């Protein structure tokens, strides 16, 4: 009786299809019977980070269910004239972040079936036509790369991939080079071209070869296409033998690893569009069976990964138990220190002043006076990054929080140093919500301290497996620093979605406005405001129907947002939203949220989770939404203000910080 009640509820609440002319009946389908058994839908589970750096996320993890799988069950009644076997298969799909099953991009949806994806329909025992219900049980779990796509295969451990080559590995390769005349001669020529000694070039080539060989594995790197957060549906398909063996249900639906004319076909699309003429086929789909969330442990440590500048010997003097490059943190830490790869274009002509702008009494009069320092007295320096990993970041295992800080110039080094942390497990789509107290940006005199507070998503890898969907209209600009002269490309891995909060002008230059009357006035009321800027780096793909240049509008949530792109080959579209600085960064904490969906991006801020307001919006009519795997970064950076025309303060005229400028990350959840 209880099972029958569950089935009635399921069919009432969720989509459920049935064919009355079938020679069998499917009853009492329970898609997950061994987890949170008090409910049939809306079960909640968190991504388990244990071992996920190499295995990818698995749902459920063995820590959550001791068998490591979800069990399902259903009853089958044979209404035919003779006993017979039936065939069944479970499919699952992420429903929160998907394209409609009727969309041509539905094959991009995250769907799967049995973990051994090559297994097709399973066969029931012989079901008697005795009028009784026969109970069928099975299991499945949600894993990354569910279609076993070869582009995601590679080395079994990223730790091995980025670990420094051993002396034996290097010597073995150098011997191989020397024993191969053609290879050796090419290294000799390369040494001349690069102005290196032969021994140094041999070592460089050996290092590259070891790392390349390590990547060339044949292991299913499921982490390269991790399961998505959000709600999952489960679909049970039951049919008779002939539909399977005669391929009335095609091979590429029975085995989701198979392509049809070079394209994967989403089984949800097939079963809800092309099955009316298939006899003896039962489809039961239950929506919102399971909600998957990610709650990152900020106290699990900070891993020190591969450094941008390999020429320098890694300074480990600040390593500690909760921040290092050891194997234990490699396995468990959800974050690593983010070291900016700063180019030579971020050189500042700094005033030779060290002051505590953030909390001191540095006035607007002092700012204006010091801005008149002559060129010859200025300090020309790059914005720097830490030379001592773990010095400026800390993970507190008791408080479960992370502290970052831009170091003060206590020893008169005259440096402005960026700081940040980055997540280590890539995801595609999600609602990223962070509870933070990043540094205050304006002091009591409303003078900017030069910091840009940022929360941003960045592509996980530049390798081919992480490329974005093809840009069909002319292509993407090929790199972050591309110019008009560069040739566009159809594919690229670069993607970025930003929150950047700083002191800037609300308006854009007059040349960006088609209708000058819509250009905001230089309003004095903006004095205590900072700009919450929202940016999508679409790499200037012109596929969107309303791809725009200059200032253009988009409406959402009864608001109008003013988007801006500098020109047709500029890589990003940005909007600016003024907010009171004291509210965002002088309070105990504030929430920042990026909701990244297949067809739109929504930026929100608020004092609590239930009081979030939209401060930015874009959709795929105005910008190309990334569909590759990305990581989340928190930074406090010294941006150069030429990137933000009409900014009231120039970075060059901001003093070097006298004291550490601290920021705190208290919570990060992705749903």
């Amino acid at each position: 009786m209880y099972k029958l009640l569950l089935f009635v509820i399921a069919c009432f609440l969720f989509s459920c299809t049935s064919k009355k002319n079938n020679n069998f009946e499917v009853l009492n389908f329970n898609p997950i019977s061994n987890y949170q058994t008090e409910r049939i839908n809306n079960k909640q589970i968190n991504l388990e980070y244990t071992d996920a750096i190499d295995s990818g996320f698995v749902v459920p993890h063995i820590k959550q269910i001791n068998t490591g799988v979800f069990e399902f069950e259903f009853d089958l009644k044979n209404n035919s004239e003779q006993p017979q076997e039936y065939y069944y298969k479970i499919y699952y799909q992420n429903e929160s972040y998907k394209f409609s099953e009727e969309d041509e991009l539905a094959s991009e949806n995250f769907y799967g079936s049995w973990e051994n994806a090559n297994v097709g329909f399973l066969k029931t025992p012989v079901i008697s036509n005795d009028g009784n219900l026969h109970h069928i049980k099975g299991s499945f779990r949600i894993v990354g790369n569910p279609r076993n796509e070869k582009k995601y295969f590679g080395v079994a451990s990223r730790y091995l991939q980025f670990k420094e080559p051993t002396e034996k590995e290097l010597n073995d390769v150098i011997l191989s080079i020397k024993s191969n005349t053609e290879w050796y001669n090419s290294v000799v020529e390369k040494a001349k071209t690069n102005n290196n000694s032969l021994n140094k070039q041999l070592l460089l080539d050996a290092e590259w070869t070891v790392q390349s060989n390590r990547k060339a594995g044949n292991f299913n790197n499921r982490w390269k296409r991790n399961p998505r957060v959000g709600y999952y549906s489960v679909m049970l398909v039951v049919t008779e033998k002939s539909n399977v063996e005669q391929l009335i249900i095609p091979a590429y639906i029975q085995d989701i690893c198979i392509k049809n004319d070079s394209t994967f076909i989403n089984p949800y699309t097939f079963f809800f569009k092309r099955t009316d003429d298939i006899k003896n086929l039962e489809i039961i789909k239950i929506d919102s069976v399971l909600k998957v969330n990610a709650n990152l442990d900020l106290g699990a440590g900070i891993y020190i990964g591969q450094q941008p500048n390999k020429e320098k010997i890694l300074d480990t003097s600040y390593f500690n138990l909760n921040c290092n490059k050891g194997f234990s943190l490699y396995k468990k830490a959800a974050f690593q220190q983010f070291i900016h790869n700063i180019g030579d274009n971020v050189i500042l002509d700094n005033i030779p002043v060290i002051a505590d702008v953030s909390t001191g009494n540095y006035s607007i009069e002092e700012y204006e006076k010091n801005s008149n320092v002559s060129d010859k007295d200025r300090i020309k320096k790059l914005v720097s990054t830490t030379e001592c990993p773990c010095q400026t970041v800390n993970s507190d295992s008791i408080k479960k929080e992370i502290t970052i800080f831009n170091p003060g110039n206590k020893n008169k080094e005259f440096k402005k140093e960026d700081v940040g942390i980055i997540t280590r497990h890539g995801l595609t789509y999600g609602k990223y919500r962070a509870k933070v107290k990043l540094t205050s940006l304006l002091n009591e005199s409303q003078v900017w301290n030069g910091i840009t507070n940022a929360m941003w998503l960045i592509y996980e890898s530049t390798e081919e497996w992480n490329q974005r969907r093809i840009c069909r209209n002319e292509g993407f600009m090929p790199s972050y620093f591309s110019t008009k002269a560069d040739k566009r490309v159809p594919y690229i891995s670069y993607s970025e979605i930003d929150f950047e909060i700083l002191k800037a002008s609300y308006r854009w230059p007059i040349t960006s406005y088609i209708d000058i009357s819509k250009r905001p006035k230089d309003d004095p009321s903006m004095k205590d405001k900072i700009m919450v800027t929202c940016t999508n780096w679409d790499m200037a793909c012109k596929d969107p129907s309303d791809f725009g240049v200059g200032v253009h509008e988009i409406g959402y949530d009864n608001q109008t947002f003013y988007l801006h792109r500098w020109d047709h080959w500029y890589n990003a579209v940005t909007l600016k939203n003024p907010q009171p600085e004291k509210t965002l960064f002088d309070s105990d904490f504030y929430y920042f949220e990026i909701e990244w969906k297949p067809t739109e991006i929504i930026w929100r801020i608020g004092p609590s989770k239930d009081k979030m307001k939209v401060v930015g919006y874009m959709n795929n009519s105005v910008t190309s939404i990334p569909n590759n795997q990305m990581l989340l970064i928190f930074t406090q950076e010294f941006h150069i203000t030429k990137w933000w025309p009409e900014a009231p303060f120039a970075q060059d005229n901001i003093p070097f910080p006298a004291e550490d400028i601290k920021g705190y990350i208290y919570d990060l959840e992705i749903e």
Side-chain angles (χ1 to χ4, degrees):
M1 183 67 186
Y2 174 68
K3 287 184 177 180
L4 183 59
L5 179 61
L6 283 179
F7 174 72
V8 170
I9 293 172
C11 285
F12 178 75
L13 292 176
F14 314 109
S15 84
C16 188
T17 66
S18 179
K19 294 186 176 182
K20 294 182 179 179
N21 62 344
N22 288 342
N23 64 16
F24 62 89
E25 294 176 60
V26 178
L27 301 168
N28 307 328
F29 173 44
N30 188 344
I32 297 178
S33 60
N34 65 329
Y35 180 72
Q36 295 182 355
T37 55
E38 72 280 2
R39 60 178 76 171
I40 195 161
N41 69 308
N42 292 324
K43 300 172 190 278
Q44 308 280 321
I45 197 166
N46 290 326
L47 292 176
E48 173 56 55
Y49 278 71
T50 303
D51 298 324
I53 197 68
D54 284 326
S55 67
F57 294 115
V58 294
V59 183
H61 192 273
I62 198 167
K63 285 187 172 183
Q64 297 164 321
I65 299 178
N66 58 13
T67 58
V69 294
F70 291 128
E71 295 176 0
F72 65 89
E73 57 186 19
F74 63 93
D75 291 324
L76 193 56
K77 182 180 179 182
N78 181 356
N79 294 329
S80 71
E81 297 179 354
Q82 59 186 11
Q84 61 177 300
E85 300 164 334
Y86 291 94
Y87 289 72
Y88 66 95
K89 190 172 176 72
I90 285 286
Y91 298 92
Y92 58 80
Q93 178 175 256
N94 183 281
E95 298 290 330
S96 295
Y97 302 101
K98 71 169 188 176
F99 291 98
S100 163
E101 284 75 17
E102 297 180 355
D103 195 294
E104 64 178 356
L105 296 176
S107 63
E108 287 188 12
N109 292 352
F110 191 89
Y111 60 83
S113 183
W114 317 124
E115 185 166 349
N116 184 349
N118 298 114
V119 174
F121 277 69
L122 297 181
K123 184 168 58 175
T124 69
V126 174
I127 305 295
S128 172
N129 59 335
D130 56 9
N132 294 325
L133 298 180
H134 295 260
H135 199 56
I136 308 296
K137 296 183 69 174
S139 64
F140 72 99
R141 68 175 183 169
I142 299 169
V143 296
N145 192 22
R147 297 187 299 215
N148 291 340
E149 296 175 67
K150 290 298 181 183
K151 68 179 179 178
Y152 300 121
F153 280 52
V155 66
S157 171
R158 286 190 270 184
Y159 187 74
L160 174 64
Q161 179 178 332
F162 294 122
K163 190 178 179 183
E164 293 298 320
T166 65
E167 186 175 352
K168 183 181 183 305
E169 286 177 306
L170 294 173
N171 287 337
D172 287 346
V173 174
I174 290 172
L175 284 174
S176 297
I177 294 174
K178 289 180 176 179
S179 64
N180 184 315
T181 303
E182 185 176 348
W183 191 358
Y184 180 76
N185 289 339
S186 70
V187 174
V188 171
E189 290 301 315
K190 194 183 297 184
K192 293 177 182 177
T193 302
N194 296 335
N195 198 27
N196 288 331
S197 69
L198 179 57
N199 285 338
K200 181 178 180 180
Q201 194 63 53
L202 281 167
L203 183 60
L204 290 172
D205 275 43
E207 288 177 344
W208 184 91
T209 302
V210 170
Q211 298 292 10
S212 179
N213 289 341
R214 285 176 174 179
K215 293 179 182 179
N218 196 34
F219 183 80
N220 189 347
N221 282 320
R222 296 191 182 277
W223 59 267
K224 292 182 179 178
R225 192 170 189 254
N226 265 323
R228 296 175 187 174
V229 294
Y231 284 102
Y232 281 81
S233 65
V234 176
M235 180 170 66
L236 170 67
V237 180
V238 183
T239 191
E240 63 180 2
K241 181 178 181 179
S242 61
N243 287 335
V244 174
E245 293 191 345
Q246 296 175 25
L247 297 183
I248 294 171
I249 298 174
Y252 56 82
I253 298 300
Q254 296 188 39
D255 179 353
I256 62 171
C257 301
I258 298 175
K259 292 182 178 181
N260 179 44
D261 294 332
S262 75
T263 303
F264 288 111
I265 304 298
N266 187 329
Y268 278 65
T269 299
F270 174 82
F271 284 113
F272 286 94
K273 286 180 66 177
R274 299 176 48 193
T275 56
D276 289 343
D277 57 344
I278 300 178
K279 297 180 180 179
N280 295 316
L281 176 70
E282 183 91 1
I283 305 165
I284 302 176
K285 177 194 172 205
I286 301 183
D287 289 319
S288 305
V289 170
L290 182 74
K291 186 182 182 185
V292 176
N293 300 314
N295 289 279
L296 283 71
D297 185 351
L298 280 73
I302 298 172
Y303 179 67
I304 302 303
Q306 194 178 30
Q307 303 300 298
N309 191 343
K310 295 182 182 179
E311 297 296 320
K312 293 183 179 179
I313 297 174
L314 183 65
D315 186 331
T316 62
S317 57
Y318 284 87
F319 278 18
N320 56 69
L321 287 177
N322 228 25
C323 185
N324 58 62
K325 65 171 185 176
F327 188 69
S328 176
L329 284 186
Y330 164 79
K331 296 291 283 185
K332 74 174 186 177
F335 293 87
Q336 73 179 47
Q337 183 161 8
F338 178 69
I339 309 294
H340 294 73
N341 193 1
I342 297 176
D344 293 339
N345 64 326
V346 195
I347 297 177
L348 301 175
D349 290 334
N350 297 282
I351 57 173
V353 178
I354 296 174
D356 181 13
V357 176
S358 298
T359 58
N361 297 316
Y362 196 82
S363 67
I364 189 67
E365 289 76 21
E366 287 177 280
Y367 171 82
E368 292 173 349
K369 174 186 174 183
N370 289 330
S371 297
N372 294 320
V373 170
S374 65
D375 288 345
K376 67 180 180 63
D377 292 325
R378 287 178 177 264
I379 300 173
K380 296 182 184 294
K381 290 192 75 171
L382 281 169
V383 174
S384 64
T385 59
T386 187
E387 296 182 358
C388 305
C390 301
Q391 180 185 14
T392 56
V393 296
N394 177 64
S395 169
D396 190 318
S397 58
I398 304 300
K399 294 182 178 179
K400 301 290 186 182
E401 65 184 39
I402 288 177
T403 304
I404 62 176
F405 69 88
N406 311 84
N409 285 263
K410 297 179 178 63
N411 299 316
K412 295 188 176 180
E413 304 100 325
F414 289 104
K415 68 178 180 180
K416 292 179 176 178
E417 182 176 299
D418 291 347
V419 65
I421 56 169
I422 181 171
T423 60
R424 300 179 61 227
H425 301 76
L427 294 171
T428 302
Y429 308 125
K431 184 185 290 185
Y432 295 74
R433 185 187 306 113
K435 177 184 178 182
V436 301
K437 180 175 175 53
L438 299 179
T439 182
S440 298
L441 299 179
L442 304 178
N443 65 15
E444 290 299 321
S445 299
Q446 307 304 320
V447 177
W448 181 41
N449 68 353
I451 291 288
T452 295
N453 288 333
M455 169 179 158
W456 44 299
L457 288 156
I458 192 73
Y459 61 93
E460 182 173 9
S461 171
T462 58
E463 295 178 352
E464 185 177 349
W465 65 264
N466 201 42
Q467 286 182 337
R468 300 172 62 157
R469 183 188 312 119
I470 186 174
C471 178
R472 301 184 182 280
N473 187 0
E474 298 186 26
F476 297 104
M477 297 304 293
S479 74
Y480 182 93
F481 296 106
S482 296
T483 66
K484 182 180 181 180
D486 293 314
K487 184 179 180 181
R488 289 175 176 261
V489 295
Y491 295 99
I492 196 169
S493 297
Y494 195 95
S495 56
E496 183 179 338
I497 301 172
D498 301 341
F499 255 130
E500 294 175 301
I501 305 102
L502 71 160
K503 186 62 178 175
S505 172
Y506 178 40
R507 60 186 190 174
W508 298 97
I510 194 169
T511 53
S512 291
Y513 293 85
I514 297 174
D515 184 352
I516 299 177
S517 66
K518 291 187 176 182
R519 187 180 189 230
K521 295 181 179 179
D522 192 7
D523 195 333
S525 69
M526 292 291 173
K527 185 178 180 181
D528 66 341
K529 303 292 194 304
I530 50 175
M531 291 303 133
V532 176
T533 72
C534 308
T535 302
N536 179 40
W537 291 78
D538 57 15
M539 306 310 287
C541 175
K542 295 183 178 180
D543 283 353
S545 57
D546 295 326
F547 180 91
V549 171
V551 175
H552 45 294
E553 300 177 7
I554 189 170
Y556 179 76
D557 194 33
N558 296 318
Q559 298 184 69
T560 299
F561 296 100
Y562 297 92
L563 313 182
H564 180 265
R565 189 191 301 273
W566 289 106
D567 48 52
H568 286 276
W569 51 91
Y570 189 71
N571 288 332
V573 59
T574 299
L575 62 86
K576 295 189 283 192
N577 196 314
Q579 296 292 326
E581 197 274 351
K582 284 186 175 295
T583 301
L584 271 62
F585 298 123
D586 288 353
S587 54
D588 290 338
F589 59 82
Y590 217 70
Y591 284 89
F592 293 82
E593 179 181 283
I594 299 173
E595 185 173 6
W596 167 33
K597 303 170 78 172
T599 59
E600 59 186 359
I601 306 169
I602 308 166
W603 291 262
R604 299 182 182 91
I605 63 174
S608 62
K609 294 186 200 179
D610 59 345
K611 294 181 180 179
M612 305 291 284
K613 64 179 179 180
V614 176
V615 292
Y617 177 79
M618 300 176 195
N619 62 30
N620 60 354
S621 71
V622 294
T623 187
S624 174
I625 308 294
N627 67 318
N628 55 349
Q629 204 153 272
M630 299 175 76
L631 304 168
L632 186 71
I633 303 174
F634 296 96
T635 52
Q636 293 183 168
E637 309 176 41
F638 290 95
H639 277 191
I640 55 176
T641 41
K642 71 178 183 181
W643 296 341
W644 303 96
E646 299 192 23
F649 297 94
Q651 182 67 255
D652 305 57
N653 297 331
I654 303 292
F656 293 94
E659 303 295 330
D660 296 343
I661 301 176
K662 293 184 177 181
Y664 302 89
I665 296 93
Y666 296 130
D667 189 50
L668 174 61
E669 56 186 344
I670 312 168
E671 61 180 25

